[in-house]
Amino acid sequence: MTSTSRSTAHSALSPYGWDEDWADAFAPYAAEGLLPGRVVRVDRGQCDVVTPDGVLRADTAFVTPHDPLRVVCTGDWVAVEPDGNPRYVRTYLPRRTAFVRSTSSKRSEGQILAANVDHAIVAVSLAVELDLARVERFLALAWESGAQPLVVLTKADLVPDPVTLAHLVQDVETSAPGVTVLAVSAALGEGLDVLAAVVGGGTAVLLGQSGAGKSTLANALLGEDVMDVQATRDVDGKGRHTTTTRNLLVMPGGGVLIDTPGLRGVGLWDAGGGVGQVFAEIEELARDCRFHDCAHESEPGCAVLAAIDDGELTERRLESYRKLMRENQRIVAKTDARLRAEIRKEWKRRGAIGKAAMEAKRGHLR
């Protein structure tokens, strides 16, 4: 890339996160005459890419492999043909981070939601009762992506009592070690300046269920009504999917925002490290268990169960940890034959222990 073209790319793309490291990674493709750009929207095998020549529509057929994790997605930095009808995306640059969940299909596949994200904003509505287990699930995926999670409690104006609001924030903080938790009211404009300061200058992705207030929050951060907003049902606090695609947009105070459709299902995808970070205190306690493979169920010398007895850890938190670890293990085992064999071996070992204990008990009763 010549110094002139490098300068042009920087001035045009820097609002979208372009930097010298991306320019260095793109250099081989610049030598081929390809254009750098960032994917701002993907739909039906095509994408909108912002480039130094403006926003271009490009086909992704060249980079649509059988592996669904390697398809072009919103947030990718790509190399685009400078002309042609249609234009094609030739490749995408290596991703710094990637937000992946498991698909709802029975096939063992992951689905990539967004790439090159710095902040993962988990939106949680205060219009309904807090589901801490779901917050923990979102956070596990966020940590695993490589992004820094952030929990935003939306519709804070619906909790007028400051003491109650403080307790709700504290409940989430307890379930989100190392994560900033903000109470925000887009309707009243409260907390938005703090949120914008936290995520400004980088790429943020908005995550959450339908009805969590993501589109309203996105509009507040973007300073205009870009996203459609629909009323939330009073009965259950749920809304309809107002966002149907993942869109990347520049925030006026700096940085970019990727809004995602409401996620009905949030399945883990090889997120063992993320689960460990969400439940950091349990992993820390587990190091003091008598057995290195302690399942924290009934084993003697279990430091985790001792913490529950002492009131340092809640049963809810431990059960959420167990559930996410089991789910993640099942997902990984579907694609890892060695792990499947290890799991079957562990089942047999535990079965043998249970059988021996039962026989010993019967012998004692005779």
Side-chain angles (χ1 to χ4, degrees):
M1 183 180 293
T2 66
S3 59
T4 301
S5 59
R6 193 176 179 114
S7 176
T8 301
H10 181 78
S11 60
L13 299 177
S14 60
Y16 293 86
W18 184 259
D19 56 30
E20 288 302 313
D21 289 337
W22 287 122
D24 290 341
F26 187 79
Y29 305 107
E32 298 177 22
L34 299 175
L35 283 173
R38 193 166 197 191
V39 177
V40 297
R41 188 171 182 268
V42 177
D43 65 279
R44 299 178 183 178
Q46 294 192 317
C47 61
D48 294 334
V49 184
V50 60
T51 74
D53 291 349
V55 178
L56 306 178
R57 187 75 167 165
D59 196 298
T60 64
F62 279 147
V63 279
T64 307
H66 295 298
D67 183 352
L69 297 181
R70 299 179 63 189
V71 299
V72 172
C73 73
T74 303
D76 270 329
W77 286 100
V78 296
V80 186
E81 293 177 344
D83 48 37
N85 189 15
R87 296 174 190 259
Y88 286 95
V89 172
R90 288 292 186 86
T91 189
Y92 61 80
L93 300 183
R95 293 161 176 158
R96 294 178 181 174
T97 62
F99 195 96
V100 180
R101 69 166 177 174
S102 65
T103 63
S104 57
S105 68
K106 295 182 179 179
R107 295 177 296 177
S108 304
E109 293 182 346
Q111 178 190 18
I112 185 163
L113 300 178
N116 303 311
V117 172
D118 301 299
H119 306 280
I121 305 172
V122 179
V124 181
S125 173
L126 290 177
V128 294
E129 184 177 354
L130 280 177
D131 185 345
L132 295 176
R134 180 167 287 274
V135 173
E136 290 161 346
R137 177 179 290 271
F138 270 109
L139 289 175
L141 290 176
W143 277 123
E144 191 67 31
S145 75
Q148 172 65 47
L150 168 71
V151 177
V152 173
L153 303 179
T154 65
K155 309 179 184 181
D157 52 290
L158 298 181
V159 186
D161 179 23
V163 175
T164 301
L165 183 59
H167 282 309
L168 291 172
V169 171
Q170 186 175 33
D171 285 345
V172 177
E173 287 177 335
T174 302
S175 299
V179 176
T180 298
V181 180
L182 298 175
V184 169
S185 170
L188 301 180
E190 296 176 350
L192 293 173
D193 54 343
V194 178
L195 175 58
V198 171
V199 301
T203 296
V205 62
L206 260 176
L207 307 162
Q209 288 183 285
S210 296
K214 293 191 293 83
S215 294
T216 301
L217 187 60
N219 285 334
L221 288 171
L222 294 167
E224 55 184 319
D225 292 338
V226 177
M227 304 298 174
D228 290 334
V229 178
Q230 293 179 350
T232 302
R233 295 196 299 255
D234 292 332
V235 176
D236 53 13
K238 295 181 179 179
R240 289 156 55 193
H241 291 281
T242 55
T243 304
T244 57
T245 59
R246 285 169 280 281
N247 303 281
L248 185 150
L249 297 159
V250 176
M251 292 185 285
V256 295
L257 180 70
I258 300 175
D259 191 21
T260 65
L263 301 175
R264 291 190 180 93
V266 192
L268 300 185
W269 177 258
D270 196 4
V275 175
Q277 284 188 272
V278 175
F279 299 93
E281 81 279 26
I282 296 179
E283 301 252 314
E284 182 68 25
L285 288 166
R287 294 172 187 167
D288 294 328
C289 290
R290 182 180 302 176
F291 304 107
H292 77 277
D293 58 349
C294 184
H296 320 307
E297 293 176 349
S298 58
E299 296 87 346
C302 176
V304 174
L305 295 180
I308 288 181
D309 292 339
D310 294 341
E312 298 176 18
L313 182 68
T314 64
E315 279 280 2
R316 185 211 67 78
R317 187 106 167 117
L318 177 58
E319 183 52 40
S320 182
Y321 172 73
R322 287 171 176 158
K323 181 178 180 180
L324 292 181
M325 288 297 285
R326 286 195 300 266
E327 178 183 328
N328 190 67
Q329 192 176 51
R330 286 195 301 270
I331 288 292
V332 175
K334 287 181 179 181
T335 57
D336 189 328
R338 181 183 59 79
L339 182 59
R340 284 198 300 271
E342 289 179 357
I343 291 174
R344 283 195 294 268
K345 183 178 179 180
E346 178 65 12
W347 285 343
K348 290 180 180 179
R349 184 184 74 82
R350 292 193 183 185
I353 293 174
K355 184 177 180 181
M358 184 63 70
E359 290 177 350
K361 183 176 180 180
R362 288 172 180 168
H364 178 72
L365 293 174
R366 285 175 182 165

